[in-house]
Amino acid sequence: MLSSHFRAAPSPSHPLALLVGSGAALGATGKALDKTSGGAITRAMGHAGFKGNAGKTLTLIGLPGITHSHLILVGVGEGKKITRKSLEEAGGHAVATAQGARVKQLDIVAELPAAGKLTAAELAAHLAFGAELRTYRFDKYRTTEKPEDKPTLGALTMVTAKPEAAKKTYTPLRALAEAIAHTRDLVTEPANIIYPKSLAAECKKLEHLGLKVEVLGEAAMKKLGMGALLGVGQGSAQESHLVVLEWRGGKKGEKPVALVGKGVTFDTGGISIKPSGGMEEMKWDMAGSAAVIGTLRALAARKAKVNVVGVVGLVENMPGAEAQRPGDVVTSMSGQTIEVLNTDAEGRLVLADALHYTVTRFQPKVVVDLATLTGAIIVAIGSSRAGLYANNDRLAERLYEAGEATGERLWRMPLGEDYDAMINCDIADMKNISDGREAGSVTAAQFLQRFIGKTDWAHLDIAGTAWSKKPGAITPRGATAFGVRLLHDWIAKHYE
Ligand code: BES
Ligand code: MN
Ligand code: ZN
């Protein structure tokens, strides 16, 4: 991922990106260049039918009288509707277009056709944030890629009247961008590299930021009675771990916000084994835990004035001689017993103990869990939103709003006694799947709720959003780090 510079003037020869508003409205720099070129920019926009709509770009090369090799026009739409999110997306589109044109450096002019609600510093900082996130690439294992196939873009500059102020606004956003890149790395790494112990070691590395990181192994979890989590990992040669990350930047003694993540570093399904086609995708069944780790990292890196704990349950779900069998009954830390009718419904077993541990140990103000929990949520709402479940309406509204503001969007799903009854069981307190295929994501959430008690709680089913087969404005194909921007903004707005 590239990082940005902030300057008051563009370099005369660099490719230049300009923001264009609805009705092909140019900013001051664009107008001046248009004049220099004898109106060539206006003419080109007219011929191309480019109107400055958000998400559209137009590349002009070698215009007469203009020293910049390329002008990349980036539509931002109606001035009134421009937000931080739309600027981030414009930054992303600028970079994607520049990469398509194989340019080596890009100067983005942080200037709108008309003054909006955002300051010049915010404008430049959010453009930079979006542009950088779009340049993320996981190329650690590409050793034979030809130079001509590699991305060419090596430098990014935001051109702004207020470079110093922009840099100040950008610094905490840069911390967030780095946390997002780290989250994407963790999710993309294969399961022979990221397994419970190595992921716990990654967490330990964050201690230098001032996070307190505690790692519990199987012996400690056995003592605590975490039979649900341990049952999932018992077929794996890798030891299961539970990691607690604490950021105490807020008032001493103030109850924390808690984030809990599903960290199944590989989900074969266990004895209820998955079909082999596409099984490799289950390396990202730890995306919930990676989002929790990334959010804690971002908060610590910018010394956020808030108390937050992250708890991640790290296990590998494998078949084998020691694996748990369908029909096994396990006792969770809460004392409630579970009949494991399908060993592939393992995420809820891991979270049952992680959630109970979190609410009893920390008595948090609120707990939010993230999990690639069910294929059923993808059937229900697709992959442009994550499923949101909550036992508190205000919490649900605030998370929903954070989703709209950041672009990590949610959709609220129902909870209720009728759904809860679907996991009642004849021989134990509950079963880990319901009969039939109805409401699969809801019954999974209902299962989690049995381990929450009275704490305010929300559950995000991110099975559809953790990984993307096509690029988004600020996310390349692959791991999205869904949840990091959402939770970071929600915490900053309501708890800091
Ligand atoms: N990790 C999967 C859910 C998943 C599926 C995530 C597809 C991303 C893409 C989860 O552990 C699982 O296997 N869930 C089962 C539950 C079923 C057995 C009740 C599922 O969704 O099929
Ligand atoms: Mn599974
Ligand atoms: Zn899973």
Side-chain angles (χ1 to χ4, degrees), residues 258-435:
L259 307 176
V260 175
K262 167 178 172 180
V264 176
T265 58
F266 197 79
D267 180 15
T268 64
I271 296 297
S272 314
I273 198 160
K274 289 181 180 295
S276 56
M279 199 200 274
E280 70 284 352
E281 293 193 347
M282 286 300 119
K283 72 173 181 182
W284 47 263
D285 211 17
M286 37 58 75
S289 69
V292 170
I293 295 164
T295 305
L296 268 294
R297 174 182 163 147
L299 294 168
R302 68 169 183 80
K303 306 260 173 285
K305 292 192 171 53
V306 62
N307 295 335
V308 180
V309 304
V311 175
V312 293
L314 310 179
V315 302
E316 185 182 54
N317 188 21
M318 297 290 274
E322 292 182 56
Q324 76 181 339
R325 293 146 291 254
D328 282 4
V329 174
V330 295
T331 303
S332 68
M333 184 184 171
S334 73
Q336 299 177 93
T337 57
I338 305 157
E339 186 184 18
V340 181
L341 288 177
N342 188 321
T343 64
D344 197 11
E346 85 297 341
R348 63 198 77 181
L349 297 169
V350 173
L351 288 174
D353 282 336
L355 285 168
H356 179 81
Y357 176 81
T358 304
V359 296
T360 53
R361 175 169 168 194
F362 294 104
Q363 286 126 25
K365 283 183 185 166
V366 52
V367 54
V368 179
D369 76 72
L370 294 95
T372 47
L373 204 61
T374 69
I377 192 65
I378 311 174
V379 176
I381 61 172
S383 41
S384 54
R385 291 176 184 263
L388 160 64
Y389 295 85
N391 62 2
N392 176 302
D393 292 340
R394 195 178 69 157
L395 170 61
E397 275 161 30
R398 286 175 164 186
L399 284 166
Y400 178 85
E401 285 309 324
E404 295 300 303
T406 57
E408 294 187 335
R409 301 171 84 190
L410 306 174
W411 196 257
R412 185 142 184 212
M413 301 285 289
L415 290 165
E417 283 171 16
D418 39 349
Y419 296 113
D420 181 73
M422 291 167 77
I423 52 169
N424 285 339
C425 173
D426 291 338
I427 73 150
D429 297 333
M430 70 195 86
K431 52 193 181 191
N432 79 328
I433 54 165
S434 57
D435 304 327

Side-chain angles (χ1 to χ4, degrees), residues 52-327:
N53 292 346
K56 302 281 183 215
T57 63
L58 178 66
T59 307
L60 309 175
I61 305 177
L63 286 193
I66 289 184
T67 54
H68 304 283
S69 59
H70 300 62
L71 291 183
I72 296 174
L73 309 182
V74 183
V76 290
E78 251 180 79
K80 274 182 290 185
K81 290 193 187 151
I82 290 169
T83 58
R84 293 177 177 85
K85 171 173 165 274
S86 62
L87 286 170
E88 290 162 10
E89 289 170 355
H93 289 306
V95 155
T97 309
Q99 277 171 331
R102 300 200 62 73
V103 305
K104 292 202 178 75
Q105 62 278 101
L106 180 67
D107 292 6
I108 304 180
V109 181
E111 200 173 73
L112 290 169
K117 281 183 222 140
L118 299 168
T119 64
E122 284 172 322
L123 181 60
H126 285 275
L127 275 172
F129 180 67
E132 289 173 10
L133 286 176
R134 187 61 191 267
T135 67
Y136 171 84
R137 191 169 189 254
F138 188 85
D139 53 10
K140 193 174 157 188
Y141 301 118
R142 302 191 194 212
T143 68
T144 58
E145 193 178 31
K146 297 191 199 90
E148 62 265 34
D149 293 334
K150 290 206 165 116
T152 48
L153 191 63
L156 260 181
T157 301
M158 303 301 128
V159 181
T160 169
K162 300 257 163 62
E164 288 312 315
K167 221 185 236 166
K168 225 173 141 190
T169 308
Y170 162 81
T171 303
L173 282 171
R174 175 67 193 175
L176 181 57
E178 282 170 3
I180 290 167
H182 187 196
T183 302
R184 289 177 182 172
D185 286 347
L186 294 177
V187 174
T188 312
E189 284 284 8
N192 60 327
I193 304 296
I194 286 292
Y195 44 89
K197 193 173 167 186
S198 62
L199 188 47
E202 284 289 323
C203 295
K204 269 277 174 200
K205 284 191 204 159
L206 297 176
E207 279 185 324
H208 76 274
L209 293 172
L211 282 167
K212 187 174 150 207
V213 181
E214 238 175 292
V215 178
L216 280 65
E218 288 182 355
M221 287 191 279
K222 203 165 176 187
K223 252 192 202 153
L224 289 164
M226 293 190 172
L229 184 153
L230 289 168
V232 176
Q234 88 188 29
S236 170
Q238 303 294 343
E239 185 181 353
S240 301
H241 291 281
L242 187 94
V243 182
V244 181
L245 304 105
E246 279 183 79
W247 171 248
R248 300 275 176 185
K251 288 197 196 87
K252 220 180 155 193
E254 187 170 359
K255 297 255 181 291
V257 170
L259 307 176
V260 175
K262 167 178 172 180
V264 176
T265 58
F266 197 79
D267 180 15
T268 64
I271 296 297
S272 314
I273 198 160
K274 289 181 180 295
S276 56
M279 199 200 274
E280 70 284 352
E281 293 193 347
M282 286 300 119
K283 72 173 181 182
W284 47 263
D285 211 17
M286 37 58 75
S289 69
V292 170
I293 295 164
T295 305
L296 268 294
R297 174 182 163 147
L299 294 168
R302 68 169 183 80
K303 306 260 173 285
K305 292 192 171 53
V306 62
N307 295 335
V308 180
V309 304
V311 175
V312 293
L314 310 179
V315 302
E316 185 182 54
N317 188 21
M318 297 290 274
E322 292 182 56
Q324 76 181 339
R325 293 146 291 254

